[in-house]
Amino acid sequence: GRVESGTKGFARMQQGTGGLVQSYAILASTLFALGAAFRVMQNAADFKALQQSQVAFAASTGVNMKAIAEQLKAATSAQIDLQQAGAASAIMIAKGFTTEQITQVAEASKNAAIALGRNFEDTFNRIVQGTTKAEPELLDELGITLRLETATQKYADAVGKNRDELTTFERSQAVLNETLRQAEENFGAVAGRVPVNAFNKLGAVMTDLTMSFQQILAPL
């Protein structure tokens, strides 16, 4: 009788523990789902804010940021989504890059990724950040050796100035010019001769579609 009573008690204890574990599992999965949903809506809100800032920027400066972002995306052969294109365009415009220079950055990134067999998004981000922040270490991995003194001296000679007299904008232009020069020298031969990664294009299309759907759901 005692053995039977102990067995039943143990069984009840196991059932209780199992119920507790199950409850925690349900709670954890619910919290995970809510967290994922929150991050999705948060991202949609960021994209909406970016679109609104593009409209405001165009109204105050006459520069159509949305059109520049779309042109940047096209220059990468549609390997980035509109949110990435918009953010990158805003950074480069803030540094004083022209639309033509932004297109050149996109093409240099595309050619470098193909020639080196690298992930396009990482390559693109390295060139954008390397040129806008003047960080040579970001470009080293791409085989672009950026020496700031050399770049600024070349620019100073071209504009007829002393290197120490260059403005912040001119120094930024010097870095951009040298980066684009080396990119063309190293990777220009593959331009238009090798197709881009089709999966990158598909991923960008899917991201844009998903973002559109999220923006519909966000207000709900």
Side-chain angles (χ1 to χ4, degrees):
R2 291 181 179 177
V3 173
E4 183 182 355
S5 177
T7 302
K8 289 181 178 179
F10 180 74
R12 283 194 296 270
M13 186 187 306
Q14 288 292 92
Q15 290 174 355
T17 304
L20 184 61
V21 171
Q22 185 179 17
S23 297
Y24 273 119
I26 293 172
L27 176 61
S29 63
T30 302
L31 290 176
F32 178 81
L34 288 173
F38 175 80
R39 287 188 293 273
V40 165
M41 295 302 104
Q42 187 178 39
N43 192 38
D46 285 339
F47 185 45
K48 185 175 181 180
L50 174 65
Q51 291 175 312
Q52 292 173 334
S53 71
Q54 289 176 337
V55 173
F57 192 79
S60 61
T61 66
V63 177
N64 190 336
M65 287 293 294
K66 182 180 179 182
I68 294 173
E70 290 173 346
Q71 185 171 332
L72 171 60
K73 178 177 178 177
T76 68
S77 295
Q79 292 185 88
I80 56 175
D81 57 69
L82 285 173
Q83 186 171 22
Q84 289 177 299
S89 296
I91 292 171
M92 289 187 277
I93 286 292
K95 292 297 290 187
F97 292 8
T98 65
T99 304
E100 181 182 359
Q101 288 173 330
I102 291 173
T103 299
Q104 290 174 332
V105 167
E107 291 174 345
S109 303
K110 179 174 62 177
N111 295 339
I114 291 173
L116 299 174
R118 287 180 51 89
N119 173 272
F120 172 77
E121 186 176 345
D122 178 70
T123 302
F124 176 71
N125 288 337
R126 280 179 178 276
I127 292 183
V128 170
Q129 293 179 33
T131 53
T132 57
K133 296 181 179 181
E135 295 185 359
E137 63 274 11
L138 292 173
L139 300 168
D140 279 345
E141 198 169 322
L142 305 178
I144 296 175
T145 304
L146 177 64
R147 301 191 187 284
L148 298 178
E149 288 187 6
T150 302
T152 51
Q153 186 61 59
K154 284 183 178 180
Y155 189 88
D157 292 342
V159 298
K161 277 189 174 184
N162 186 296
R163 183 161 62 87
D164 296 332
E165 297 175 341
L166 295 179
T167 65
T168 300
F169 169 73
E170 289 172 329
R171 290 177 182 277
S172 176
Q173 289 288 299
V175 168
L176 174 64
N177 288 350
E178 180 61 16
T179 301
L180 292 176
R181 184 192 69 77
Q182 289 193 42
E184 175 61 26
E185 184 178 283
N186 296 343
F187 316 120
V190 304
R193 299 182 181 181
V194 182
V196 300
N197 189 329
F199 287 97
N200 290 343
K201 299 173 69 173
L202 179 60
V205 169
M206 293 302 295
T207 300
D208 283 340
L209 288 174
T210 301
M211 191 64 68
S212 298
F213 184 63
Q214 288 171 357
Q215 287 198 308
I216 294 172
L217 287 181
L220 302 178

